[in-house]
mmCIF file of all heavy atoms in Angstrom:
data_model
loop_
_atom_site.group_PDB
_atom_site.id
_atom_site.type_symbol
_atom_site.label_atom_id
_atom_site.label_comp_id
_atom_site.label_asym_id
_atom_site.label_seq_id
_atom_site.Cartn_x
_atom_site.Cartn_y
_atom_site.Cartn_z
ATOM 1 N N GLU A 240 -47.182 -40.739 -49.604
ATOM 2 C CA GLU A 240 -47.785 -39.939 -48.638
ATOM 3 C C GLU A 240 -47.251 -40.244 -47.266
ATOM 4 O O GLU A 240 -46.953 -39.344 -46.421
ATOM 5 C CB GLU A 240 -49.311 -40.021 -48.683
ATOM 6 C CG GLU A 240 -50.066 -38.896 -48.020
ATOM 7 C CD GLU A 240 -49.898 -37.621 -48.714
ATOM 8 O OE1 GLU A 240 -49.536 -37.637 -49.966
ATOM 9 O OE2 GLU A 240 -50.088 -36.597 -48.100
ATOM 10 N N THR A 241 -47.051 -41.576 -47.012
ATOM 11 C CA THR A 241 -46.384 -41.927 -45.675
ATOM 12 C C THR A 241 -44.997 -41.376 -45.550
ATOM 13 O O THR A 241 -44.618 -40.876 -44.499
ATOM 14 C CB THR A 241 -46.387 -43.492 -45.604
ATOM 15 O OG1 THR A 241 -47.722 -43.959 -45.697
ATOM 16 C CG2 THR A 241 -45.818 -43.895 -44.235
ATOM 17 N N VAL A 242 -44.226 -41.506 -46.641
ATOM 18 C CA VAL A 242 -42.858 -40.926 -46.607
ATOM 19 C C VAL A 242 -42.905 -39.415 -46.381
ATOM 20 O O VAL A 242 -42.049 -38.839 -45.617
ATOM 21 C CB VAL A 242 -42.132 -41.279 -47.923
ATOM 22 C CG1 VAL A 242 -40.857 -40.493 -48.040
ATOM 23 C CG2 VAL A 242 -41.891 -42.740 -47.996
ATOM 24 N N ARG A 243 -43.810 -38.759 -47.046
ATOM 25 C CA ARG A 243 -43.916 -37.248 -46.819
ATOM 26 C C ARG A 243 -44.172 -36.937 -45.368
ATOM 27 O O ARG A 243 -43.493 -36.091 -44.797
ATOM 28 C CB ARG A 243 -45.049 -36.717 -47.674
ATOM 29 C CG ARG A 243 -44.824 -36.509 -49.158
ATOM 30 C CD ARG A 243 -46.126 -36.078 -49.870
ATOM 31 N NE ARG A 243 -46.563 -34.820 -49.364
ATOM 32 C CZ ARG A 243 -46.208 -33.619 -49.805
ATOM 33 N NH1 ARG A 243 -45.371 -33.570 -50.816
ATOM 34 N NH2 ARG A 243 -46.760 -32.520 -49.241
ATOM 35 N N HIS A 244 -45.096 -37.663 -44.737
ATOM 36 C CA HIS A 244 -45.342 -37.392 -43.310
ATOM 37 C C HIS A 244 -44.167 -37.705 -42.413
ATOM 38 O O HIS A 244 -43.842 -37.005 -41.496
ATOM 39 C CB HIS A 244 -46.599 -38.202 -42.903
ATOM 40 C CG HIS A 244 -47.848 -37.768 -43.579
ATOM 41 N ND1 HIS A 244 -49.025 -38.506 -43.537
ATOM 42 C CD2 HIS A 244 -48.128 -36.679 -44.310
ATOM 43 C CE1 HIS A 244 -49.952 -37.839 -44.184
ATOM 44 N NE2 HIS A 244 -49.448 -36.739 -44.710
ATOM 45 N N LEU A 245 -43.497 -38.858 -42.729
ATOM 46 C CA LEU A 245 -42.284 -39.224 -41.845
ATOM 47 C C LEU A 245 -41.213 -38.210 -42.006
ATOM 48 O O LEU A 245 -40.434 -37.927 -41.057
ATOM 49 C CB LEU A 245 -41.855 -40.666 -42.256
ATOM 50 C CG LEU A 245 -42.782 -41.790 -41.886
ATOM 51 C CD1 LEU A 245 -42.252 -43.106 -42.366
ATOM 52 C CD2 LEU A 245 -42.962 -41.829 -40.351
ATOM 53 N N LEU A 246 -41.057 -37.728 -43.257
ATOM 54 C CA LEU A 246 -39.929 -36.780 -43.498
ATOM 55 C C LEU A 246 -40.166 -35.408 -42.859
ATOM 56 O O LEU A 246 -39.290 -34.626 -42.744
ATOM 57 C CB LEU A 246 -39.650 -36.618 -44.940
ATOM 58 C CG LEU A 246 -39.031 -37.877 -45.716
ATOM 59 C CD1 LEU A 246 -39.000 -37.595 -47.186
ATOM 60 C CD2 LEU A 246 -37.648 -38.149 -45.155
ATOM 61 N N ALA A 247 -41.386 -35.190 -42.429
ATOM 62 C CA ALA A 247 -41.660 -33.922 -41.724
ATOM 63 C C ALA A 247 -41.038 -33.947 -40.318
ATOM 64 O O ALA A 247 -40.848 -32.909 -39.747
ATOM 65 C CB ALA A 247 -43.156 -33.710 -41.602
ATOM 66 N N LEU A 248 -40.863 -35.137 -39.817
ATOM 67 C CA LEU A 248 -40.360 -35.272 -38.431
ATOM 68 C C LEU A 248 -38.924 -34.679 -38.269
ATOM 69 O O LEU A 248 -38.695 -33.911 -37.321
ATOM 70 C CB LEU A 248 -40.391 -36.711 -37.963
ATOM 71 C CG LEU A 248 -41.808 -37.346 -37.993
ATOM 72 C CD1 LEU A 248 -41.725 -38.796 -37.488
ATOM 73 C CD2 LEU A 248 -42.711 -36.533 -37.105
ATOM 74 N N PRO A 249 -37.924 -35.015 -39.102
ATOM 75 C CA PRO A 249 -36.625 -34.352 -38.940
ATOM 76 C C PRO A 249 -36.665 -32.848 -39.160
ATOM 77 O O PRO A 249 -35.855 -32.153 -38.540
ATOM 78 C CB PRO A 249 -35.685 -35.111 -40.059
ATOM 79 C CG PRO A 249 -36.636 -35.749 -40.980
ATOM 80 C CD PRO A 249 -37.893 -35.998 -40.225
ATOM 81 N N VAL A 250 -37.555 -32.408 -40.014
ATOM 82 C CA VAL A 250 -37.721 -30.905 -40.222
ATOM 83 C C VAL A 250 -38.235 -30.305 -38.941
ATOM 84 O O VAL A 250 -37.719 -29.267 -38.529
ATOM 85 C CB VAL A 250 -38.582 -30.689 -41.401
ATOM 86 C CG1 VAL A 250 -38.814 -29.154 -41.519
ATOM 87 C CG2 VAL A 250 -38.072 -31.350 -42.630
ATOM 88 N N LEU A 251 -39.202 -30.908 -38.295
ATOM 89 C CA LEU A 251 -39.669 -30.385 -36.971
ATOM 90 C C LEU A 251 -38.629 -30.513 -35.889
ATOM 91 O O LEU A 251 -38.474 -29.520 -35.052
ATOM 92 C CB LEU A 251 -40.936 -31.172 -36.551
ATOM 93 C CG LEU A 251 -42.141 -30.961 -37.370
ATOM 94 C CD1 LEU A 251 -43.333 -31.891 -36.925
ATOM 95 C CD2 LEU A 251 -42.661 -29.463 -37.249
ATOM 96 N N ALA A 252 -37.804 -31.536 -35.965
ATOM 97 C CA ALA A 252 -36.700 -31.599 -35.027
ATOM 98 C C ALA A 252 -35.766 -30.504 -35.217
ATOM 99 O O ALA A 252 -35.118 -29.917 -34.275
ATOM 100 C CB ALA A 252 -36.011 -32.977 -35.146
ATOM 101 N N THR A 253 -35.465 -30.156 -36.455
ATOM 102 C CA THR A 253 -34.580 -28.991 -36.751
ATOM 103 C C THR A 253 -35.201 -27.690 -36.240
ATOM 104 O O THR A 253 -34.441 -26.854 -35.760
ATOM 105 C CB THR A 253 -34.365 -28.892 -38.254
ATOM 106 O OG1 THR A 253 -33.825 -30.143 -38.766
ATOM 107 C CG2 THR A 253 -33.407 -27.814 -38.628
ATOM 108 N N CYS A 254 -36.498 -27.572 -36.364
ATOM 109 C CA CYS A 254 -37.132 -26.360 -35.719
ATOM 110 C C CYS A 254 -36.852 -26.308 -34.203
ATOM 111 O O CYS A 254 -36.579 -25.224 -33.686
ATOM 112 C CB CYS A 254 -38.620 -26.374 -35.971
ATOM 113 S SG CYS A 254 -39.098 -26.264 -37.759
ATOM 114 N N VAL A 255 -36.931 -27.406 -33.577
ATOM 115 C CA VAL A 255 -36.656 -27.398 -32.101
ATOM 116 C C VAL A 255 -35.188 -27.006 -31.837
ATOM 117 O O VAL A 255 -34.925 -26.229 -30.893
ATOM 118 C CB VAL A 255 -36.962 -28.853 -31.533
ATOM 119 C CG1 VAL A 255 -36.557 -28.923 -30.043
ATOM 120 C CG2 VAL A 255 -38.422 -29.138 -31.720
ATOM 121 N N TRP A 256 -34.289 -27.598 -32.670
ATOM 122 C CA TRP A 256 -32.910 -27.186 -32.460
ATOM 123 C C TRP A 256 -32.667 -25.723 -32.716
ATOM 124 O O TRP A 256 -31.966 -25.055 -31.854
ATOM 125 C CB TRP A 256 -32.070 -27.957 -33.541
ATOM 126 C CG TRP A 256 -30.675 -27.459 -33.759
ATOM 127 C CD1 TRP A 256 -29.665 -27.259 -32.835
ATOM 128 C CD2 TRP A 256 -30.154 -26.980 -35.026
ATOM 129 N NE1 TRP A 256 -28.593 -26.634 -33.509
ATOM 130 C CE2 TRP A 256 -28.895 -26.518 -34.807
ATOM 131 C CE3 TRP A 256 -30.686 -26.932 -36.282
ATOM 132 C CZ2 TRP A 256 -28.105 -26.013 -35.847
ATOM 133 C CZ3 TRP A 256 -29.938 -26.447 -37.326
ATOM 134 C CH2 TRP A 256 -28.644 -25.982 -37.050
ATOM 135 N N LEU A 257 -33.259 -25.166 -33.766
ATOM 136 C CA LEU A 257 -33.153 -23.754 -34.058
ATOM 137 C C LEU A 257 -33.802 -22.868 -32.957
ATOM 138 O O LEU A 257 -33.275 -21.744 -32.561
ATOM 139 C CB LEU A 257 -33.717 -23.365 -35.368
ATOM 140 C CG LEU A 257 -32.975 -23.824 -36.575
ATOM 141 C CD1 LEU A 257 -33.695 -23.616 -37.838
ATOM 142 C CD2 LEU A 257 -31.568 -23.246 -36.622
ATOM 143 N N ALA A 258 -34.877 -23.340 -32.256
ATOM 144 C CA ALA A 258 -35.446 -22.628 -31.122
ATOM 145 C C ALA A 258 -34.479 -22.609 -30.018
ATOM 146 O O ALA A 258 -34.346 -21.538 -29.279
ATOM 147 C CB ALA A 258 -36.758 -23.328 -30.724
ATOM 148 N N TRP A 259 -33.781 -23.749 -29.788
ATOM 149 C CA TRP A 259 -32.702 -23.724 -28.748
ATOM 150 C C TRP A 259 -31.597 -22.753 -29.085
ATOM 151 O O TRP A 259 -31.099 -22.006 -28.169
ATOM 152 C CB TRP A 259 -32.168 -25.128 -28.599
ATOM 153 C CG TRP A 259 -31.040 -25.299 -27.707
ATOM 154 C CD1 TRP A 259 -31.028 -25.037 -26.360
ATOM 155 C CD2 TRP A 259 -29.735 -25.740 -28.046
ATOM 156 N NE1 TRP A 259 -29.716 -25.293 -25.831
ATOM 157 C CE2 TRP A 259 -28.926 -25.778 -26.847
ATOM 158 C CE3 TRP A 259 -29.147 -26.119 -29.228
ATOM 159 C CZ2 TRP A 259 -27.584 -26.161 -26.887
ATOM 160 C CZ3 TRP A 259 -27.782 -26.583 -29.217
ATOM 161 C CH2 TRP A 259 -27.030 -26.551 -28.038
ATOM 162 N N VAL A 260 -31.220 -22.686 -30.347
ATOM 163 C CA VAL A 260 -30.132 -21.737 -30.719
ATOM 164 C C VAL A 260 -30.564 -20.297 -30.490
ATOM 165 O O VAL A 260 -29.858 -19.483 -29.984
ATOM 166 C CB VAL A 260 -29.713 -21.978 -32.208
ATOM 167 C CG1 VAL A 260 -28.721 -20.903 -32.737
ATOM 168 C CG2 VAL A 260 -29.105 -23.362 -32.343
ATOM 169 N N SER A 261 -31.820 -20.065 -30.892
ATOM 170 C CA SER A 261 -32.356 -18.649 -30.676
ATOM 171 C C SER A 261 -32.327 -18.257 -29.195
ATOM 172 O O SER A 261 -32.092 -17.094 -28.868
ATOM 173 C CB SER A 261 -33.721 -18.542 -31.290
ATOM 174 O OG SER A 261 -34.708 -19.211 -30.529
ATOM 175 N N GLU A 262 -32.669 -19.241 -28.268
ATOM 176 C CA GLU A 262 -32.669 -18.888 -26.937
ATOM 177 C C GLU A 262 -31.265 -18.641 -26.345
ATOM 178 O O GLU A 262 -31.026 -17.767 -25.579
ATOM 179 C CB GLU A 262 -33.289 -20.072 -26.134
ATOM 180 C CG GLU A 262 -33.670 -19.756 -24.689
ATOM 181 C CD GLU A 262 -32.437 -19.859 -23.734
ATOM 182 O OE1 GLU A 262 -31.568 -20.733 -24.071
ATOM 183 O OE2 GLU A 262 -32.443 -19.170 -22.711
ATOM 184 N N LEU A 263 -30.298 -19.413 -26.897
ATOM 185 C CA LEU A 263 -28.867 -19.222 -26.480
ATOM 186 C C LEU A 263 -28.375 -17.899 -26.987
ATOM 187 O O LEU A 263 -27.663 -17.210 -26.238
ATOM 188 C CB LEU A 263 -28.006 -20.283 -27.073
ATOM 189 C CG LEU A 263 -28.108 -21.708 -26.435
ATOM 190 C CD1 LEU A 263 -27.237 -22.701 -27.161
ATOM 191 C CD2 LEU A 263 -27.706 -21.634 -24.886
ATOM 192 N N GLU A 264 -28.733 -17.500 -28.121
ATOM 193 C CA GLU A 264 -28.261 -16.233 -28.682
ATOM 194 C C GLU A 264 -29.016 -14.995 -28.155
ATOM 195 O O GLU A 264 -28.416 -13.960 -27.866
ATOM 196 C CB GLU A 264 -28.410 -16.196 -30.224
ATOM 197 C CG GLU A 264 -27.467 -17.169 -30.964
ATOM 198 C CD GLU A 264 -27.559 -17.081 -32.432
ATOM 199 O OE1 GLU A 264 -28.490 -16.343 -32.976
ATOM 200 O OE2 GLU A 264 -26.802 -17.678 -33.138
ATOM 201 N N GLY A 265 -30.305 -15.127 -28.007
ATOM 202 C CA GLY A 265 -31.122 -13.926 -27.673
ATOM 203 C C GLY A 265 -31.816 -14.039 -26.351
ATOM 204 O O GLY A 265 -32.550 -13.041 -26.012
ATOM 205 N N GLY A 266 -31.730 -15.090 -25.680
ATOM 206 C CA GLY A 266 -32.422 -15.200 -24.385
ATOM 207 C C GLY A 266 -33.867 -15.473 -24.484
ATOM 208 O O GLY A 266 -34.429 -15.751 -25.590
ATOM 209 N N PRO A 267 -34.646 -15.343 -23.339
ATOM 210 C CA PRO A 267 -36.080 -15.603 -23.298
ATOM 211 C C PRO A 267 -36.939 -14.775 -24.314
ATOM 212 O O PRO A 267 -37.914 -15.274 -24.876
ATOM 213 C CB PRO A 267 -36.496 -15.412 -21.902
ATOM 214 C CG PRO A 267 -35.163 -15.519 -21.140
ATOM 215 C CD PRO A 267 -34.117 -15.008 -22.083
ATOM 216 N N TYR A 268 -36.438 -13.522 -24.543
ATOM 217 C CA TYR A 268 -37.242 -12.629 -25.407
ATOM 218 C C TYR A 268 -37.245 -13.178 -26.862
ATOM 219 O O TYR A 268 -38.285 -13.196 -27.475
ATOM 220 C CB TYR A 268 -36.676 -11.222 -25.393
ATOM 221 C CG TYR A 268 -37.334 -10.334 -26.386
ATOM 222 C CD1 TYR A 268 -38.613 -9.824 -26.084
ATOM 223 C CD2 TYR A 268 -36.638 -9.839 -27.494
ATOM 224 C CE1 TYR A 268 -39.244 -8.982 -26.995
ATOM 225 C CE2 TYR A 268 -37.204 -9.030 -28.358
ATOM 226 C CZ TYR A 268 -38.549 -8.530 -28.073
ATOM 227 O OH TYR A 268 -39.167 -7.696 -29.020
#
């Protein structure tokens, strides 16, 4: 269970990266 929770962190970091990509591609909207 601890490993499951820890492994969620790189997945969330990837979400932040993709949010940055979406802003570069499509702007604030």
